Amino acid sequence: MDTLTLAGLILALAATSFGARSSFILFLGRRAASPTVQRALRFVPPAVLTALVVPELVLAAGGPSLVGNARLAAGLVAAAVAWKTRNTLLTILVGMLCLHALRLLGYGA
Amino acid sequence: MLPVLPGVITFGVITGVAMIGAGLSAWGAVAMSVLVFAGTAQLAALQLAAAGASLPVIFFAGLIINLRFALYSLSISRYVGHAPRGLRIALSYLLSDNGYAHAVARFGVHPDEPRKPEYLLGSEIMIWTAWQAATLAGIAVGTGLPRAWSLEFIVTLTFLALAASSIRDRPGLAAASASAAIAIAAYALPYRLGLLLATGAGVAAGLVAERWTRSRSPA
């Protein structure tokens, strides 16, 4: 990434985080968001986080790849650990170990 | 010492390592950490940029991920809304997941806490300092590790862990499942537009599932 693109990226992101944080504290004052908006916001984390994870695990260079895909296999093991333990650090350690063990064994790229 | 600091430090180190793993220079990572100060959005943006997403898509993804801060801002404004403008500007930069959670819990138990805006400011400064120090340590560690270790996979695994802990009930699972299906179906769309489609579909599925669950359960 060149410096100009990176600067644009950082400033755009800074605008989203300061904008969201300041919204009510600084600008809108003490109001109430509508119940529908509050209910919808509850589903944003599972929806957006899943949308970030799944393509990284499933997609290879040419499209979806389910067999011989070390990232997917390691990701599934890590998902089981995450679901059972709710421990971020352990999930990362198990996932990284799986990825490298599978590659050492010659499974996938 | 705040009880949330160990968690802040752990995620800070992970974010520092992952930013380097995603291909950022050490100075770029420091600038991002100070200016954006939102680990999840930072990692999402870097992952999307590496996958060829356009700047508008990255901006909207950042907006969606940071929407929760607007909810915190709304919720905390009843404690700090009367504070002087300068203090509210500082809080608007510093407001964090852990600082918000700690303050709301504290003010719930001690409603007569005399200086709530100052209390929140103090907690957030501690969290900011711990986060930046941890991120710096992560950047140093990440810079020293070989590229062959595929450190960029740490970003994916971090999101995986966060996704798992965000799914607390059936409607949440419905939101995640719909999002996963659309994310794969829409993989061929340019600029990672599929991310925005999948997020919208997930939120819609969650709302529908919630209504369906509620209408079936005895009121």
Side-chain angles (χ1 to χ4, degrees), chain B residues 83-107:
Chain B
R85 194 176 168 77
L87 182 49
R88 283 184 291 135
I89 292 176
L91 290 176
S92 296
Y93 165 68
L94 291 167
L95 189 63
S96 66
D97 295 287
N98 288 292
Y100 164 77
H102 175 75
V104 165
R106 167 95 192 177
F107 299 158

Side-chain angles (χ1 to χ4, degrees), chain B residues 9-191:
Chain B
I9 290 167
T10 308
F11 191 47
V13 174
I14 291 170
T15 304
V17 174
M19 281 194 289
I20 300 300
L24 211 53
S25 68
W27 283 114
V30 171
M32 192 178 226
S33 187
V34 171
L35 290 171
V36 181
F37 185 48
T40 313
Q42 289 167 218
L43 296 184
L46 290 173
Q47 182 188 299
L48 288 169
S54 67
L55 200 55
V57 168
I58 295 176
F59 175 78
F60 279 111
L63 206 57
I64 291 167
I65 290 166
N66 284 333
L67 263 182
R68 68 187 191 286
F69 289 128
L71 204 63
Y72 303 163
S73 184
L74 168 67
S75 156
I76 207 86
S77 68
R78 72 193 183 97
Y79 298 118
V80 306
H82 58 274
R85 194 176 168 77
L87 182 49
R88 283 184 291 135
I89 292 176
L91 290 176
S92 296
Y93 165 68
L94 291 167
L95 189 63
S96 66
D97 295 287
N98 288 292
Y100 164 77
H102 175 75
V104 165
R106 167 95 192 177
F107 299 158
V109 181
H110 302 279
D112 51 349
E113 176 80 50
R115 308 183 74 171
K116 294 193 178 69
E118 288 80 1
Y119 183 90
L120 181 63
L121 182 71
S123 321
E124 295 291 14
I125 288 175
M126 268 193 258
I127 288 170
W128 186 91
T129 310
W131 171 266
Q132 299 298 349
T135 304
L136 274 180
I139 291 169
V141 170
T143 311
L145 293 176
R147 301 291 303 165
W149 283 16
S150 298
L151 294 180
E152 76 285 350
F153 198 53
I154 290 179
V155 181
T156 307
L157 292 168
T158 306
F159 287 141
L160 200 148
L162 295 175
S165 65
S166 76
I167 300 170
R168 297 202 189 90
D169 50 13
R170 276 162 190 253
L173 188 61
S177 308
S179 170
I182 299 298
I184 296 174
Y187 81 90
L189 289 180
Y191 314 121

Side-chain angles (χ1 to χ4, degrees), chain A residues 62-82:
Chain A
S65 151
L66 299 179
V67 182
N69 179 345
R71 297 169 73 95
L72 178 59
L76 289 175
V77 174
V81 173

Side-chain angles (χ1 to χ4, degrees), chain A residues 31-75:
Chain A
R31 293 184 204 182
S34 82
T36 313
V37 170
Q38 295 201 26
R39 275 175 40 228
L41 278 175
R42 187 165 86 75
F43 295 113
V44 168
V48 72
L49 292 167
T50 306
L52 281 165
V53 170
V54 168
E56 292 295 318
L57 297 182
V58 174
L59 298 184
S65 151
L66 299 179
V67 182
N69 179 345
R71 297 169 73 95
L72 178 59

